[in-house]
Amino acid sequence: MGGFVMELWGFMKERKKFWLLPIITVLVLLGSLIVLTQGSAVAPFIYTLF
């Protein structure tokens, strides 16, 4: 996983695509939120947001 992150950072640095960083961060945060609350009582409230 660390190799993928370093390769992605190298791509963004070389091609000057730093605008991708906030998009990737938000996607990772939303994905982890859904995974972590999958079995909890909060899950129905989170799914209504989307």
Side-chain angles (χ1 to χ4, degrees), residues 24-45:
I24 293 170
T25 305
V26 168
L27 286 175
V28 167
L29 288 174
L30 285 176
S32 62
L33 179 69
I34 290 173
V35 167
L36 290 175
T37 60
Q38 187 174 8
S40 72
V42 184
F45 300 110

